[in-house]
Amino acid sequence: MKKFIFLAVLVAAAYKFFPKSFPFLSAPGAFDKSGKPLVVVFLGPNCGGPCDTVQGLLKERSISYQTIDVVGSDGAPLSNKYGINRFPTTLVGKQEILGDDTVRITSALAEAYGMETLPRMERMAMANHFDAEGRAKVIMYGTSWCPYCKQQREFFTANGVPFDDVDVEASQAGGLAYATLKGNGYPLIYVGYRRFSGYTEQEILATLAELKKSKPGRPV
């Protein structure tokens, strides 16, 4: 895959943090002065492999990122003014991903910077998550026998949420997309690039409301 380097100004004066857990700030996310999303990885004590995994993913995809280490050079914890207590924690624009959840980080990168951050097979799978005008669709990857899939279908129907119901056992294309997206349980739900694992309700409705405010456009 062609490498794309996303430039970000990596000095303190050029970006601002608005993580959702910070009571003294008003909006979630990490952005530069022009409002473009930045990638910030918080490193902490005994982070080891998980922190290496996240940074390895970002380097592999040629994503510029800032690190903030809450451990000093002598190994002692510094005052953590950001209120982060799980490491790594990755901010991609307004999304906050805990731990080394690389599939969620991948989705957040695509939402922030476009599909060119994705390998070819993932781009093909994600393309089905948008309509012809570029609006995010709700896609549910599940099975006919999964009880949580049944609950999710009923919830969508009761709340008037249109969705594509993909049975990964009955559809070869659906099964391939599910495997490509590293699904490991049912249901696996996407709203455009956003990924939700398991039976969820309010998070999906909140995401739909948020994305409705966004100007539609073809994912790039």
Side-chain angles (χ1 to χ4, degrees), residues 127-208:
N128 294 320
H129 297 180
F130 298 86
D131 66 16
E133 285 73 43
R135 297 185 186 88
K137 298 193 298 183
V138 179
I139 310 291
M140 187 180 83
Y141 297 96
T143 68
S144 60
W145 49 263
C146 162
Y148 296 112
C149 299
K150 180 176 182 293
Q151 285 182 265
Q152 193 72 70
R153 291 185 189 102
E154 292 172 349
F155 175 79
F156 285 150
T157 300
N159 287 273
V161 177
F163 69 104
D164 288 0
D165 193 352
V166 180
D167 188 329
V168 302
E169 295 181 337
S171 165
Q172 183 176 4
L176 177 60
Y178 178 79
T180 298
L181 296 170
K182 299 180 175 63
N184 59 2
Y186 304 117
L188 172 63
I189 297 166
Y190 275 86
V191 180
Y193 293 117
R194 300 275 183 97
R195 179 183 179 112
F196 303 88
S197 297
Y199 175 56
T200 56
E201 292 184 355
Q202 299 308 317
E203 292 176 49
I204 291 176
L205 293 181
T207 296
L208 287 170

Side-chain angles (χ1 to χ4, degrees), residues 2-212:
K2 182 179 179 181
K3 296 293 185 180
F4 287 78
I5 301 177
F6 299 96
L7 299 178
V9 181
L10 301 179
V11 293
Y15 62 82
K16 54 185 178 182
F17 292 118
F18 293 126
K20 64 184 180 182
S21 58
F22 301 172
F24 51 88
L25 295 174
S26 59
F31 302 88
D32 67 14
K33 286 185 175 179
S34 67
K36 293 181 180 179
L38 298 176
V39 179
V40 182
V41 182
F42 288 86
L43 309 176
N46 304 314
C47 192
C51 285
D52 292 341
T53 295
V54 169
Q55 294 185 86
L57 171 71
L58 296 172
K59 290 173 183 176
E60 177 187 338
R61 304 206 175 186
S62 297
I63 305 295
S64 293
Y65 66 97
Q66 167 74 25
T67 59
I68 296 179
D69 196 337
V70 302
V71 176
S73 58
D74 62 352
L78 301 172
S79 175
N80 186 3
K81 64 180 179 180
Y82 302 102
I84 300 294
N85 55 26
R86 180 172 173 181
F87 305 101
T89 288
T90 305
L91 300 182
V92 182
K94 58 188 155 185
Q95 295 195 59
E96 180 183 63
I97 301 99
L98 304 180
D100 57 348
D101 190 343
T102 55
V103 290
R104 283 199 60 211
I105 293 173
T106 294
S107 295
L109 292 172
E111 182 172 337
Y113 300 121
M115 281 203 185
E116 295 301 339
T117 62
L118 301 173
R120 184 176 67 88
M121 291 299 292
E122 289 183 23
R123 290 201 303 269
M124 292 173 63
M126 286 286 194
N128 294 320
H129 297 180
F130 298 86
D131 66 16
E133 285 73 43
R135 297 185 186 88
K137 298 193 298 183
V138 179
I139 310 291
M140 187 180 83
Y141 297 96
T143 68
S144 60
W145 49 263
C146 162
Y148 296 112
C149 299
K150 180 176 182 293
Q151 285 182 265
Q152 193 72 70
R153 291 185 189 102
E154 292 172 349
F155 175 79
F156 285 150
T157 300
N159 287 273
V161 177
F163 69 104
D164 288 0
D165 193 352
V166 180
D167 188 329
V168 302
E169 295 181 337
S171 165
Q172 183 176 4
L176 177 60
Y178 178 79
T180 298
L181 296 170
K182 299 180 175 63
N184 59 2
Y186 304 117
L188 172 63
I189 297 166
Y190 275 86
V191 180
Y193 293 117
R194 300 275 183 97
R195 179 183 179 112
F196 303 88
S197 297
Y199 175 56
T200 56
E201 292 184 355
Q202 299 308 317
E203 292 176 49
I204 291 176
L205 293 181
T207 296
L208 287 170
E210 174 192 337
L211 295 180
K212 277 184 180 179

